[in-house]
Amino acid sequence: MTAPSVPAPRTAWRAAGHLLGLLAGTALASQSAHARAAPAHHALPPKPAKSSSTSASPPAGALEQITVTSERRRQSAQNVGISVSVLSGKELAARNVNDVFGLQYLTPSLQVTPQFGSGQPSFTIRGVGFNDYGSGNASPVGVYIDEVANPIPYATNGLMFDVARVEVLRGPQGTLYGRNTTGGAINYVLNQPTDRFAAGATVQYGSFAAQKYDGYVSGPVARGIRMRLAGESQQGGAWQYTDTGLHLGNVDRTALRLLTDIQLADTLKARIDLHGSLDRSDAAGLHLYAPLTTIAAYNPGGPVFPADSARDITRWGTSPQFAALAGIRPDQKPYHHIDVGGASIRLDQDFSFATLSNLAGYDVSSRREYDNFDASSLNVADVAFNTRSNVFQDELRLVSRGDHRLNWIAGLYYANEYLADQYLSGFQEAFHVDQGVFYSQIVNTVSGFGQATWRITPNLHLTGGLRLEHEARDLQDYRAFSFDDAGNVTNPGNVVRRRALLYTLPSWKVELQYTPSRTDMLYVSISQGINSGGFTTYNTSNAYASSNPYQPEKLLAYEIGNKLDIPRAHLRLNVSAFYYDYRDEQILGAAVNAQAGLIGAIVNAPRSHLAGGEFEADWSPLPGLLLTQSGGWAVGQFDRFQAVYSDYRVGNVFYPIYQNRRGDALPAPKLTFNGSATYRWAWGRYDLSLGMNYSLRSTYRSLFGPLYNVAGYTIWGATASFAPHAGHWSLSAFGNNIFDKRYDIERNFFLVGDDIALAGMPATYGIRLGASF
């Protein structure tokens, strides 16, 4: 019932040794997700890649054409009727994007925030999102790595390395994918084993002593067998501090991946992926943007603590009682220790008419975490997680071969998830009590899906897709306990042995695509997506009431878009507009139990809607100069939602007080803009480049009132690189938030009077040296 003590820091080489052992002992994993792409941000012709590539080199000044597989077959990104952004691995490295949180500053309509600064990311696309810091619930945005789904949200908070590109799809997904989502999907496409020997390494050093080391070795090892071993380690980077001179924010993460391609026969091939990562990083610190009045609110005459004078300031500390319960020291630094390991295998058998593929996989992960949600050295709101999970999934699909008048795909998907969670919360200074929730959860998902495209005429295509999904989610042995100062349970009967949530629901898509010319494509689509229901698993007042399930949400999406290339002007412009009809939207709110009173809970808002649009433009007005600009706009509101506001008591019975939220805006930034300007030129035997970039987002308006609004902000960055034409080495530099904008990325409260914020990073700079063979 205690969290493990914090291990001693480990070097990158020791961690790599542990990971090699992990890779040797893991088994299979896989699933499916794809997307389409936008041009890479380079105006000069790219050098021949030593790894597999999806595009050919364009002439100078032309925009790169990228081939993607969003519909299970190779197509030009401009010919697929999906709103999607694609970020190349080179661009991610140039901008120093190391994990999923950095993607939002390169992509319109995407927001990724760590809940309360924890290791749990919350994803929002076009205003469709889900705020939950607990470990066990499904996200409305799916995350995939080489077609393998990652359904455990905290397990997506890992290193982003040896990536060919990242594809961000907007809108419901499901008729082509193993899992179902309402918001969209984020797909990592990895660099693959090469036909010839290749190797490379990079070393990076930056602000706050941040270090990063990357390397890979790739090539054939035997006839019909190619392998690629890649790894990355990150260290340092602590940028937050206490008023006593201590620092917080060091990263200590190491990851390895081994890919193997095997040609078993002329028409049969296999791909095996072994991967693992170890994380011993500090957590993100919070700061008080308003006075801490929690103790006085619950204990009249208690102390009030002033707001922090700077966003870089943070504090931590807890009571001896909570430290003993969580297995930490009272002065323990907050930490996020998220470890992931697994494997996948994919088999592809080619027939004359179709390709039969099977993707099977198994992944394990653990979350050991201590967070200080009150930004003080007191035990006002401290939490600890000890979570472990494993996921098995298998997808069997048949995809038609060739480009015919009728192209189709059909598949079956099965997944089994097991999660065991211990969640502790410490409230000694406010309530003189510590609490904990302990449970396990099993999720079984079975679905069948299919999609077909009929070419009515050479310029007019009709697509239809259908998916039927059955899910059974079982919450088992849910214990919601309170502890006295000696660590004894004071309410041992507060237990629910089992709660279940089952559903069988369809999702579907209809799309019409018209191509008036070779460089212009229009599409209109209607689709419906589903996101799983679940349980609120972090309340202790009444086990049965706290574990009351919330239902799946359903999203009916209408979208229209146009993708236009003007080759002579070296211009590409993609635009889209959407309208979402939301049913049973999942919202972090409250409920009232007759015996327990007000309980924080995830609830369903019966009706709401969203509308908006996006654009992405790439223009090369001069040889070597590339200008990019993207933007997203999304607004929404509740149409029918009687939300619990408070409660009142008559005798021993509690009754709810409701607030009509009709017309209230949904919580998400209305505007997001991202842009860059990059100029590349040749200087003798060398290539040089300079670039500037920016990202803007408007004010995030909270459901909890103006005090918790997150003010809009704009951050600027710069990049530079220098390399010989041959490309055997490179020297590059980056600067993020170069004007040192001070801003918050999240504001919230854990208890009344505990108003906390997570600050964005200050100005950071770095230099990178790379070599390849």
Side-chain angles (χ1 to χ4, degrees):
M1 205 182 301
T2 60
S5 59
V6 181
R10 94 175 28 138
T11 66
W13 298 112
R14 287 179 59 198
H18 282 274
L19 283 169
L20 284 173
L22 178 63
L23 292 178
T26 38
L28 310 170
S30 193
Q31 207 242 348
S32 76
H34 299 295
R36 23 169 323 199
H41 293 175
H42 300 287
L44 289 185
K47 304 178 186 67
K50 294 188 177 181
S51 59
S52 58
S53 175
T54 59
S55 59
S57 299
L63 299 177
E64 185 177 3
Q65 298 294 328
I66 294 182
T67 300
V68 293
T69 53
S70 63
E71 297 189 349
R72 309 295 193 182
R73 61 187 73 250
R74 297 176 65 84
Q75 295 173 278
S76 167
Q78 293 298 99
N79 294 334
V80 182
I82 303 173
S83 181
V84 61
S85 299
V86 174
L87 311 169
S88 71
K90 290 182 179 180
E91 183 179 9
L92 295 171
R95 299 277 291 270
N96 196 37
V97 175
N98 300 310
D99 54 34
V100 72
F101 297 107
L103 296 177
Q104 61 187 316
Y105 299 118
L106 288 81
T107 307
S109 302
L110 172 66
Q111 177 154 324
V112 189
T113 56
Q115 291 296 287
F116 289 98
S118 72
Q120 172 88 323
S122 170
F123 301 93
T124 300
I125 295 180
R126 290 177 167 176
V128 178
F130 183 49
N131 293 325
D132 181 25
Y133 57 86
S135 297
N137 293 316
S139 170
V141 176
V143 177
Y144 301 83
I145 300 177
D146 258 6
E147 304 187 4
V148 179
N150 196 339
I152 307 298
Y154 72 77
T156 65
N157 182 13
L159 290 175
M160 186 184 300
F161 71 101
D162 203 36
V163 170
R165 66 182 184 271
V166 176
E167 307 168 337
V168 181
L169 289 81
R170 294 178 281 272
Q173 308 296 322
T175 60
L176 285 170
Y177 291 80
R179 301 191 70 88
N180 209 339
T181 59
T182 49
I186 298 173
N187 305 320
Y188 294 75
V189 181
L190 305 176
N191 288 317
Q192 299 301 317
T194 51
D195 294 324
R196 294 180 296 173
F197 174 79
T202 62
V203 177
Q204 178 177 304
Y205 187 83
S207 302
F208 308 106
Q211 306 158 57
K212 185 168 71 170
Y213 308 92
D214 288 88
Y216 75 92
V217 179
S218 178
V221 296
R223 184 174 181 179
I225 301 176
R226 301 178 304 162
M227 303 182 77
R228 185 183 186 97
L229 177 65
E232 181 174 281
S233 181
Q234 292 182 18
Q235 312 293 323
W239 59 278
Q240 296 174 296
Y241 59 89
T242 68
D243 40 18
T244 59
L246 300 177
H247 287 80
L248 186 69
N250 273 320
V251 175
D252 182 2
R253 300 192 290 186
T254 301
L256 286 175
R257 181 183 296 113
L258 177 64
L259 299 178
T260 304
D261 284 352
I262 306 174
Q263 193 71 40
L264 299 171
D266 289 344
T267 60
L268 178 63
K269 60 184 178 181
R271 174 168 295 169
I272 301 171
D273 179 345
L274 302 175
H275 53 269
S277 65
L278 296 175
D279 189 342
R280 296 296 177 268
S281 303
D282 292 345
L286 303 173
H287 68 91
L288 292 166
Y289 68 91
L292 178 62
T293 61
T294 304
I295 299 174
Y298 294 101
N299 302 272
V304 173
F305 299 88
D308 289 322
S309 58
R311 287 181 165 88
D312 296 352
I313 292 178
T314 190
R315 297 176 186 83
W316 60 82
T318 191
S319 66
Q321 296 93 329
F322 185 77
L325 191 65
I328 60 176
R329 304 185 311 272
D331 62 346
Q332 172 67 57
K333 277 188 176 183
Y335 61 86
H336 297 166
H337 295 174
I338 297 175
D339 298 339
V340 178
S344 65
I345 183 169
R346 171 174 174 166
L347 295 171
D348 292 306
Q349 173 67 62
D350 289 335
F351 299 102
S352 60
F353 69 98
T355 297
L356 180 65
S357 301
N358 191 81
L359 301 94
Y362 184 74
D363 279 276
V364 297
S365 61
S366 66
R367 178 189 188 187
R368 297 176 180 177
E369 182 173 335
Y370 161 61
D371 293 301
N372 189 293
F373 286 176
D374 53 55
S376 76
S377 59
L378 304 172
N379 185 347
V380 175
D382 300 333
V383 303
F385 295 88
N386 187 356
T387 310
R388 59 186 175 89
S389 66
N390 56 67
V391 180
F392 171 78
Q393 51 192 316
D394 188 85
E395 179 182 303
L396 179 69
R397 68 172 185 252
L398 190 65
V399 183
S400 63
R401 297 187 66 187
D403 187 13
H404 304 290
R405 189 166 185 179
L406 179 66
N407 297 309
W408 50 267
I409 174 177
L412 297 171
Y413 175 77
Y414 169 75
N416 173 269
E417 304 171 28
Y418 172 81
L419 182 139
D421 193 19
Q422 298 179 5
Y423 165 69
L424 304 173
S425 49
F427 305 121
Q428 283 286 336
E429 302 287 350
F431 304 136
H432 312 292
V433 68
D434 294 319
Q435 298 177 326
V437 169
F438 311 86
Y439 68 93
S440 62
Q441 181 175 257
I442 297 174
V443 183
N444 285 291
T445 304
V446 180
S447 62
F449 59 93
Q451 183 167 299
T453 297
W454 177 39
R455 187 180 301 167
I456 302 172
T457 70
N459 295 336
L460 186 64
H461 299 176
L462 178 64
T463 297
L466 178 66
R467 173 194 181 91
L468 186 64
E469 179 173 273
H470 173 76
E471 182 174 285
R473 186 173 293 256
D474 289 326
L475 185 70
Q476 300 180 349
D477 198 22
Y478 182 80
R479 293 162 288 158
F481 291 155
S482 297
F483 301 91
D484 61 20
D485 289 349
N488 299 311
V489 176
T490 61
N491 56 343
N494 198 27
V495 176
V496 172
R497 294 302 174 191
R498 183 173 183 265
R499 298 294 296 267
L501 176 64
L502 292 86
Y503 73 82
T504 302
L505 290 170
S507 55
W508 49 269
K509 177 180 181 178
V510 177
E511 176 191 313
L512 189 64
Q513 207 179 104
Y514 177 59
T515 308
S517 69
R518 186 175 57 86
T519 59
D520 190 19
M521 187 271 285
L522 299 94
Y523 68 92
V524 58
S525 66
I526 306 174
S527 59
Q528 177 171 282
I530 307 295
N531 190 53
S532 300
F535 306 94
T536 308
T537 52
Y538 37 74
N539 292 307
T540 58
S541 55
N542 180 291
Y544 189 83
S546 298
S547 60
N548 192 46
Y550 60 90
Q551 299 302 309
E553 68 178 14
K554 298 168 282 293
L555 183 67
L556 185 61
Y558 304 84
E559 182 168 338
I560 185 170
N562 185 39
K563 298 188 174 185
L564 174 65
D565 277 350
I566 307 178
R568 290 187 178 181
H570 308 305
L571 173 66
R572 176 171 299 148
L573 177 61
N574 296 340
V575 297
S576 61
F578 64 90
Y579 179 84
Y580 288 171
D581 187 1
Y582 230 149
R583 305 294 178 96
D584 295 323
E585 179 182 0
Q586 295 161 357
I587 294 291
L588 184 60
V592 170
N593 177 262
Q595 289 75 42
L598 192 68
I599 299 172
I602 300 168
V603 299
N604 295 102
R607 292 291 301 271
S608 50
H609 74 269
L610 282 154
E614 291 121 3
F615 75 93
E616 292 184 286
D618 297 86
W619 183 34
S620 181
L622 299 171
L625 176 64
L626 181 65
L627 307 177
T628 73
Q629 179 63 60
S630 66
W633 172 70
V635 294
Q637 65 181 36
F638 296 111
D639 299 318
R640 182 156 53 90
F641 185 27
Q642 292 288 332
V644 172
Y645 174 73
S646 185
D647 65 351
Y648 66 97
R649 184 173 178 176
V650 178
N652 292 323
V653 179
F654 291 90
Y655 297 91
I657 299 175
Y658 291 101
Q659 181 182 22
N660 187 355
R661 302 303 299 266
R662 180 177 179 178
D664 287 0
L666 299 184
K670 292 182 179 180
L671 292 172
T672 59
F673 287 101
N674 306 286
S676 67
T678 305
Y679 183 62
R680 295 182 60 192
W681 73 98
W683 183 46
R685 296 183 295 113
Y686 300 96
D687 291 333
L688 294 87
S689 75
L690 290 174
M692 287 284 292
N693 57 78
Y694 84 98
S695 181
L696 173 151
R697 51 204 55 236
S698 64
T699 297
Y700 176 103
R701 303 197 180 277
S702 173
L703 288 176
F704 303 120
L707 180 63
Y708 304 101
N709 290 347
V710 179
Y713 56 89
T714 302
I715 52 178
W716 291 83
T719 60
S721 68
F722 177 74
H725 296 324
H728 294 305
W729 61 267
S730 65
L731 181 65
S732 56
F734 69 88
N736 290 332
N737 191 15
I738 57 176
F739 299 120
D740 202 24
K741 172 70 175 179
R742 298 307 172 112
Y743 63 99
D744 292 332
I745 60 177
E746 184 184 17
R747 287 189 169 188
N748 215 321
F749 68 99
F750 203 69
L751 295 175
V752 173
D754 174 28
D755 299 322
I756 49 178
L758 175 65
M761 289 191 69
T764 56
Y765 301 89
I767 189 168
R768 182 186 308 109
L769 177 64
S772 61
F773 304 93

